[in-house]
Amino acid sequence: MANRIERKSRLGEDLLIFWGRCSKILYQYVVVAVFLLGAIGVAVAALAANWLVRPKRPVAGAKGETYECGLETQGPTWVRFKVSYFLYALIFLLFDVETVFLYPWAVKFQVMGWFAFAEMIVFIGILVLGLWYAWKEGALEWK
Amino acid sequence: MAGGGNVVATWLNTWGFPPWLNSLLTGIIYLVGVLAFIFLNVIYLIYLERKVSAYMQQRLGPNRVGPRGLLQSVADALKLLGKEDIVPRHVDKWVFLVAPIAIFIPAVLLYAVIPFGRGLIAADLNIGVLYFLAVSSTTTIAILMGGWAANNKYALLGAMRAVAQMVSYEIPLVFSILGVVMLVGSLKTTDIVAAQEDVWFIFWQPVAFLIFFIAANAEVNRGPFDLVEGEQEIIAGPYVEYTAMRYALFFLSEYANLVSVSALAVTLFLGGWQGPWLPSWLWFIIKLYIMILLFMWVRWTFPRIRIDHLLKLNWKFLLPLSLVNILVTGVGIKVYQWLSPGRW
């Protein structure tokens, strides 16, 4: 019985030590969480204040229509969209993934040797090659 | 717990609270401070923007409400508070209602990692700069939500432009910061400020600053890159169907983002709160307003550029230039290390 209690308390201690290691970083995210909740709270409060004081008239007739400079809207809005946007999105995705690799490299750049430098040059070089190919194929043109 | 030179956290430590309560209270105190900072700045930035643009165009600007029109923005805010909230009939209702809240959240969250002065930072995250970039990129989603849900062709056009533009210019923005990160060897904003005690990074990274400035202009949809709103062609883009407080939240977030991106520029390139004689927070505010005025100057000087030119400038000029900047910075640091092995 006593043994079990002891083991239990030791587990508790281990957890505390583990928590102690994590907490230094995690407590900073408590602040971020407070900011997140606070932002939602303030936005909702602003809308609620607006709801309290504004005139509440039903949206009837032309008031609820889509406003396109007074002309009636023609055809559906939610249609298939110009493909150029998606091409740019694809290239963006490529380079955004690259940043994920580049940031840790940049942080540790000074303590790493020439090898890491050369390696990253090769990595960027491949991407530049990709950019050059996209450029050549006209993916960067707005058509 | 969260001490480490943080003024508020250190002060709270003297009370002997448990660490979680300490962090919670730190967060609440900073949140109140940041919200006050945002609201005051935005109210007077709108006034400043109208005055600056007016003087640039040889007009007087707002001068009726209060002395020299100083209360104009306050009156506008109160007016928006009392306005009817119209939800048009054909909108995608829930997305339409959530979008203004969704755009306000990142606008506030960004201020968590800004060092306002010596020890004045809400959360000194070890990934500070990355956190800033990650959170700021979610603004795009909120604008897309607003534009898509409105079921309005102008709004949808604006939203699509917003996505294309903000997504594209994020790349040079991120790459231009890499040079600074390489020089400092840390993503903590406080470390970056501390590293600029002798020389500001604008002198080591002038090209990066230029790229950052242009890309930041596009990220906050201002200046020559305001195609998203394009008042003369698509009225107000994604915001066209919004009224009252929902519109106000979009407007507020836009100016809050202008302030935070200027604050990041100050932190990364202009030495943050460092400066002689004056208190550190005052230096920060002075530099912040220099950056903001620079943004305003650009906005009211250049005409709006066309979307194909916009994307061409980004992909065919800024992106290669930022890559070259990384390369030159890397070679520079390595050569410097090689020449003076004792210092490293």
Side-chain angles (χ1 to χ4, degrees):
Chain A
M1 188 64 191
N3 199 9
R4 198 187 293 161
I5 290 174
E6 199 181 297
R7 204 185 303 149
K8 214 181 215 170
S9 72
R10 206 184 297 151
L11 179 71
E13 263 172 45
D14 284 352
L15 276 176
L16 269 180
I17 290 166
F18 177 69
W19 171 241
R21 282 183 195 146
C22 297
S23 60
K24 233 184 171 173
I25 296 169
L26 286 180
Y27 280 133
Q28 294 185 326
Y29 285 94
V30 172
V31 177
V32 175
V34 169
F35 268 62
L36 177 70
L37 293 177
I40 297 172
V42 168
V44 171
L47 294 177
N50 181 212
W51 178 79
L52 278 176
V53 297
R54 74 187 179 216
K56 294 170 192 70
R57 300 194 195 95
V59 177
K63 193 161 116 184
E65 287 301 323
T66 306
Y67 178 72
E68 283 171 5
C69 292
L71 298 172
E72 269 177 45
T73 182
Q74 300 281 324
T77 304
W78 293 326
V79 291
R80 281 190 290 174
F81 223 77
K82 195 173 163 72
V83 74
S84 305
Y85 290 103
F86 299 101
L87 282 179
Y88 283 108
L90 278 176
I91 307 172
F92 160 75
L93 197 64
L94 193 79
F95 278 93
D96 216 32
V97 173
E98 188 189 353
T99 30
V100 176
F101 294 112
L102 276 174
Y103 263 81
W105 171 79
V107 171
K108 285 284 161 221
F109 179 74
Q110 292 187 8
V111 289
M112 291 188 301
W114 281 98
F115 178 70
F117 181 65
E119 212 172 29
M120 196 42 79
I121 295 300
V122 172
F123 178 62
I124 295 177
I126 293 169
L127 271 150
V128 168
L129 218 64
L131 181 70
W132 170 78
Y133 182 70
W135 194 326
K136 193 191 70 136
E137 290 292 307
L140 303 181
E141 302 295 330
W142 184 260
K143 279 169 284 196
Chain B
M1 200 77 230
N6 192 325
V7 176
V8 173
T10 316
W11 175 70
L12 281 171
N13 268 340
T14 59
W15 292 70
F17 292 129
W20 63 269
L21 187 63
N22 206 332
S23 301
L24 195 69
L25 289 176
T26 311
I28 291 171
I29 291 172
Y30 273 113
L31 178 71
V32 172
V34 160
L35 284 173
F37 181 81
I38 293 176
F39 282 116
L40 274 176
N41 265 295
V42 168
I43 290 271
Y44 279 97
L45 269 182
I46 294 169
Y47 171 75
L48 187 69
E49 175 116 62
R50 292 177 68 177
K51 272 292 188 198
V52 166
S53 65
Y55 286 136
M56 280 188 184
Q57 298 162 350
Q58 303 192 332
R59 301 183 279 118
L60 284 178
N63 63 351
R64 283 286 178 271
V65 189
R68 295 186 154 267
L70 269 170
L71 296 176
Q72 180 67 51
S73 301
V74 182
D76 287 344
L78 286 176
K79 181 203 71 177
L80 279 172
L81 189 67
K83 282 286 178 186
E84 204 175 339
D85 183 33
I86 301 168
V87 181
R89 213 171 292 120
H90 305 291
V91 299
D92 187 343
K93 198 171 174 205
W94 281 106
V95 183
F96 186 81
L97 297 185
V98 167
I101 301 173
I103 201 168
F104 187 66
I105 294 167
V108 174
L109 274 180
L110 287 177
Y111 286 86
V113 292
I114 300 290
F116 290 96
R118 197 187 302 276
L120 273 179
I121 178 167
D124 192 10
L125 303 179
N126 52 2
I127 51 157
V129 175
L130 200 63
Y131 166 91
F132 190 100
L133 294 168
V135 173
S136 69
S137 63
T138 56
T139 307
T140 318
I141 300 173
I143 293 183
L144 181 63
M145 277 167 76
W148 176 264
N151 198 356
N152 181 314
K153 292 192 185 63
Y154 294 128
L156 186 64
L157 264 175
M160 293 306 274
R161 284 181 188 178
V163 174
Q165 172 180 329
M166 292 170 82
V167 142
S168 297
Y169 276 80
E170 208 176 299
I171 305 283
L173 185 84
V174 165
F175 280 9
S176 67
I177 296 172
L178 267 176
V180 172
V181 174
M182 282 159 83
L183 284 173
V184 182
S186 169
L187 290 170
K188 263 191 185 182
T189 44
T190 46
D191 284 353
I192 292 172
V193 172
Q196 298 177 75
E197 205 177 341
D198 302 324
V199 187
W200 294 357
F201 282 146
I202 188 172
F203 297 112
W204 288 121
Q205 296 278 322
V207 179
F209 177 73
L210 204 66
I211 297 168
F212 181 91
F213 184 70
I214 297 171
N217 241 321
E219 280 296 302
V220 293
N221 304 322
R222 281 178 65 85
F225 309 110
D226 57 346
L227 292 101
V228 173
E229 279 153 59
E231 290 90 347
Q232 292 84 357
E233 33 165 350
I234 52 172
I235 325 172
Y239 320 136
V240 61
E241 293 286 8
Y242 282 98
T243 52
M245 214 57 210
R246 292 184 204 286
Y247 174 74
L249 280 177
F250 273 111
F251 209 67
L252 182 68
S253 307
E254 198 165 292
Y255 275 90
N257 286 337
L258 169 67
V259 176
S260 60
V261 91
S262 304
L264 186 70
V266 169
T267 306
L268 290 173
F269 295 103
L270 300 182
W273 42 259
Q274 309 256 22
W277 310 306
L278 297 174
S280 58
W281 56 269
L282 193 59
W283 266 115
F284 182 81
I285 299 283
I286 291 170
K287 289 173 185 172
L288 182 70
Y289 268 83
I290 289 172
M291 273 311 292
I292 289 172
L293 284 171
L294 205 58
F295 274 114
M296 285 185 181
W297 188 15
V298 167
R299 171 170 176 182
W300 296 102
T301 305
F302 293 108
R304 185 179 306 139
I305 71 173
R306 241 166 55 191
I307 190 155
D308 56 334
H309 292 177
L310 174 102
L311 291 164
K312 202 166 131 192
L313 172 72
N314 177 65
W315 292 104
K316 297 189 174 174
F317 178 68
L318 290 180
L319 178 59
L321 189 66
S322 60
L323 285 171
V324 168
N325 183 58
I326 292 172
L327 193 71
V328 170
T329 310
V331 171
I333 290 174
K334 283 294 165 202
V335 166
Y336 186 71
Q337 280 180 338
W338 184 58
L339 287 177
S340 54
R343 249 198 87 179
W344 304 86

